[in-house]
Amino acid sequence: MGTLLKPENTGLPAPPRPTERPDPNHSDCRDVASVLSRVGDKWSVFVIMMLSDGPKRFNELKRMINGISQRMLTLTLRGLERDGLVTRTIFPTIPPRVDYELTDLGRGLQQPVKALGEWAIAHQQQIASARARFDERNDR
Amino acid sequence: MGTLLKPENTGLPAPPRPTERPDPNHSDCRDVASVLSRVGDKWSVFVIMMLSDGPKRFNELKRMINGISQRMLTLTLRGLERDGLVTRTIFPTIPPRVDYELTDLGRGLQQPVKALGEWAIAHQQQIASARARFDERNDR
DNA sequence: CAGAATCCACAACGATACTG
DNA sequence: CAGTATCGTTGTGGATTCTG
């Protein structure tokens, strides 16, 4: 990797290409990927958002996030807990009660995620119309 | 392909929420989800990063992104093109040549994505050790 | 209430072979 | 070179049922 491509494109002028260098941060790919995949997980992001304003109980989260199955909520929360993004607090009462709360780390992650969300909202129209155009071109 | 645009998170009925105000941007859940799922797609992010410093050819990208199959690269690029994030330029030469380049929209998306990536790098240690602790607690 | 366990459908992905 | 087509495997997630 990082090698320049061969000039076997014999004499094709083609458009000028900016000078290319090896990818600056390709060494961190794996670490970044692990976080991105957590963000890409739709449910994780929703959970983090729902926990913005304080701790929530299991079923409370389940009700807030419409459409999530109990299984996925469990798995999502476990993943977030494992990564140190949320804490899980058990109150040994009857019936049992479990609170989930963002850690400092989790609150930190919220910032970049929100930035992404705001970008999404700001450009959803452009994306939607781009899709429409693409699909129309391709449907025929 | 049409990945990950399931119509399920349609609206939080705002169930009995104890003490707080309605989530400011809960109405945009679906749009956000659609963008997040693209970001969550590992390959899309890598491609966008690789295109940071100018247009690239198909096989050039394939070589740069270690481990991607040619099929996934095709699908990923189609998705990005559909969303208006990259352009696809065909040079009808022999052998054929196709350049992919970020659009302004794509370059815009790069910023929040990079922020996320930087957060990931900055906190990978914390996450790693959180995972280690969690796993150890749980392995026994 | 908060989950663990099981079953199953289907989407995602990789490998391979073929084409203009 | 830049794809498309097909197949087989794995993974992901929903529905359901059971438990402390």
Side-chain angles (χ1 to χ4, degrees):
Chain A
M1 268 182 73
T3 53
L4 295 193
L5 59 146
K6 293 78 196 281
E8 55 199 341
N9 239 298
T10 48
L12 285 183
R17 334 251 329 276
T19 56
E20 61 177 281
R21 37 174 203 166
D23 173 20
N25 43 358
H26 91 277
S27 58
D28 300 296
C29 276
R30 266 163 274 274
D31 317 303
V32 177
S34 116
V35 172
L36 287 180
S37 65
R38 187 152 295 295
V39 171
D41 175 12
K42 171 171 117 191
W43 299 126
S44 292
V45 171
F46 280 123
V47 168
I48 290 177
M49 288 311 186
M50 292 305 147
L51 292 178
S52 298
D53 53 359
K56 299 270 175 295
R57 302 176 58 168
F58 185 87
N59 274 348
E60 199 173 352
L61 284 169
K62 188 167 182 321
R63 274 191 302 272
M64 294 174 78
I65 306 175
N66 212 312
I68 194 172
S69 67
Q70 154 251 54
R71 182 175 169 273
M72 285 320 294
L73 182 54
T74 300
L75 290 178
T76 300
L77 287 168
R78 287 291 177 282
L80 293 173
E81 188 195 356
R82 189 173 104 100
D83 285 2
L85 299 170
V86 308
T87 57
R88 178 168 178 268
T89 310
I90 306 175
F91 300 97
T93 59
I94 297 178
R97 166 184 184 150
V98 179
D99 272 16
Y100 293 92
E101 185 171 14
L102 282 182
T103 62
D104 288 342
L105 195 60
R107 269 184 290 275
L109 177 55
Q110 252 187 348
Q111 307 304 334
V113 166
K114 271 187 183 167
L116 209 52
E118 279 155 22
W119 184 92
I121 294 172
H123 297 88
Q124 54 168 304
Q125 298 304 340
Q126 284 182 69
I127 293 179
S129 63
R131 281 182 186 171
R133 260 177 289 131
F134 183 91
D135 291 345
E136 190 186 355
R137 272 206 313 275
N138 220 308
D139 276 352
R140 250 163 323 119
Chain B
M1 187 163 72
T3 11
L4 303 164
L5 266 173
K6 304 172 191 167
E8 45 211 331
N9 254 78
T10 38
L12 302 168
R17 305 184 62 191
T19 53
E20 345 83 10
R21 61 263 142 88
D23 177 9
N25 34 358
H26 88 278
S27 58
D28 302 293
C29 277
R30 272 166 305 167
D31 317 303
V32 178
S34 119
V35 172
L36 287 180
S37 65
R38 188 153 294 295
V39 171
D41 174 13
K42 174 171 116 194
W43 299 128
S44 291
V45 171
F46 279 125
V47 168
I48 289 177
M49 289 310 187
M50 293 306 148
L51 291 178
S52 298
D53 55 358
K56 299 271 177 295
R57 302 176 59 167
F58 184 87
N59 274 348
E60 199 173 353
L61 285 170
K62 188 166 181 324
R63 273 191 303 271
M64 294 174 80
I65 305 176
N66 215 312
I68 194 172
S69 67
Q70 159 235 53
R71 181 176 170 273
M72 285 319 294
L73 182 54
T74 301
L75 290 178
T76 301
L77 287 168
R78 285 292 178 280
L80 293 172
E81 189 195 356
R82 188 173 106 101
D83 285 3
L85 298 170
V86 308
T87 57
R88 179 169 177 267
T89 310
I90 306 174
F91 301 96
T93 58
I94 298 179
R97 163 180 187 155
V98 179
D99 272 14
Y100 292 93
E101 185 171 15
L102 283 182
T103 61
D104 288 342
L105 194 61
R107 269 185 290 274
L109 177 55
Q110 251 187 348
Q111 307 305 332
V113 166
K114 270 187 183 166
L116 210 51
E118 278 155 22
W119 184 93
I121 294 172
H123 297 88
Q124 54 168 304
Q125 299 303 341
Q126 284 182 67
I127 293 180
S129 62
R131 281 182 185 171
R133 262 176 289 133
F134 182 92
D135 290 346
E136 190 187 354
R137 273 206 313 273
N138 221 306
D139 275 353
R140 259 164 315 120

